[in-house]
Amino acid sequence: MDDQALKTETLPETWSVAGRTFTSRLIVGTGKYKDYAQNAAAAKASGAEIVTVAVRRVNLTDPNQPMLMDYVKQDEFTYLPNTAGCFTGEDAVRTLRLAREAGGWNLVKLEVLSDPKTLYPDMEETLRSLKLLVKDGFDVMVYCSDDPVYARKLEEAGAVAIMPLAAPIGSGLGIQNPVTLRIIIENAKVPVLVDAGVGTASEAAEAMELGCDAVLMNTAIAEAKDPIRMARAMKYAVMAGRDAYLAGRMQRKLYADPSSPLGGLI
Amino acid sequence: MQQALLGKNGVKMVKILLNGEEREVTATTLTALIDEIGLEGRKVAIEKNLEIVPRSTYLSTAIADGDRVEIVHFVGGG
């Protein structure tokens, strides 16, 4: 193997967010699975090092029901607590303070949504929440619309990662606006993750080919007919997309360019 | 003074709002409350009257009539 090939093969490529370094560029959610056992198996198959989790009241009528932590174990995954279900900055701060107390994590995912039909982020409230959380000592990865102006404002307000949507949460519509994502990626100095909307492996690869640092998904895996196989497909798609981005794609041309030499024809 | 609530065995009961539900408990500290509702050893976070209670102070945190207690944990989410 020549030097270049060796380097490409063996150097683990990593990315960092708020001083924490990861090898996997796939973050997976832990919602919507048939059960926690399937959830854990899919998370393992995806190769993800980070999983998103939600904070909810314990079930008082059945305190012995299965708990996420018994399956998706904290010694195997970094928990990224989210603010799903929060519609105001105060709700988000309250939820994440509880998450910090439950697990001691400072690295969190902020999502402040607008209406239940689109689950589109309320960017004005998201920005305000971010400022509250930063003041409270959190490292905040922010779910946001694919708006380059707001992406810049979030970064200026101290977001440790910008996470624009590819399409609405759980829609599986794929990347609707590669242009704005590309602009966000080019201008950000913090990691950019495509979060939400990816439906299948080719779309995860497409997100990575745009140059984002990682992809976050939940429904694409959880609602696949075979979630564990889809988790594995996503793992390879993200790796392939990253490699393709680093390799640099060929120029698009209008006309054909033969791959076999024209000279020496019989 | 309001008469104290008494449970079956004459044990004093405390009426609290636990996770949004009215509940009468015998526990007088958060540690005892966790035991009483069967959550001992579970990784939870507790908020009392909208203030986070640090885990290290559960034993010394008293609960009294009218307290609003929230006990949360991590569940699956995206």
Side-chain angles (χ1 to χ4, degrees), chain A residues 1 3-13:
Chain A
M1 207 182 269
D3 284 356
Q4 182 57 43
L6 194 67
K7 193 176 151 207
T8 306
E9 282 296 314
T10 58
L11 273 186
E13 220 241 324

Side-chain angles (χ1 to χ4, degrees), chain A residues 42-197:
Chain A
K44 270 187 198 140
S46 77
E49 294 164 296
I50 306 175
V51 296
T52 59
V53 296
V55 176
R56 292 291 181 271
R57 286 170 167 167
V58 296
N59 185 335
L60 294 171
T61 50
D62 182 12
N64 291 318
Q65 69 172 198
M67 284 194 176
L68 176 72
M69 284 182 162
D70 298 335
Y71 292 86
V72 182
K73 300 210 165 81
Q74 288 169 264
D75 52 1
E76 294 173 54
F77 299 96
T78 296
Y79 272 24
L80 182 67
N82 70 22
T83 59
C86 294
F87 290 86
T88 68
E90 284 69 23
D91 287 350
V93 170
R94 185 182 175 202
T95 300
L96 291 178
R97 278 183 177 164
L98 281 164
R100 183 163 58 186
E101 182 56 30
W105 296 277
N106 257 21
L107 186 66
V108 295
K109 170 181 167 176
L110 173 65
E111 55 179 291
V112 181
L113 307 179
S114 53
D115 67 285
K117 194 167 179 182
T118 66
L119 296 180
Y120 229 68
D122 176 339
M123 288 313 302
E124 189 180 359
E125 194 61 22
T126 297
L127 182 58
R128 196 177 73 82
S129 309
L130 170 65
K131 289 174 181 170
L132 293 173
L133 287 164
V134 168
K135 204 182 281 179
D136 212 36
F138 286 99
D139 291 330
V140 192
M141 302 172 73
V142 188
Y143 173 63
C144 57
S145 58
D146 57 348
D147 175 348
V149 178
Y150 256 114
R152 179 172 48 75
K153 288 183 181 181
L154 294 172
E155 190 174 339
E156 284 167 0
V160 298
I162 310 292
M163 307 205 289
L165 52 80
I169 293 170
S171 70
L173 285 169
I175 293 167
Q176 295 299 297
N177 203 337
V179 176
T180 50
L181 290 178
R182 183 67 207 153
I183 292 170
I184 291 169
I185 291 163
E186 280 194 10
N187 290 299
K189 289 176 195 69
V190 294
V192 176
L193 290 80
V194 165
D195 179 357

Side-chain angles (χ1 to χ4, degrees), chain A residues 26-29 194-196 198 204 215-221 234 238:
Chain A
L26 178 57
I27 297 178
V28 295
V194 165
D195 179 357
V198 163
V215 179
L216 197 161
M217 66 177 71
N218 187 343
T219 314
I221 296 174
M234 290 301 185
V238 166

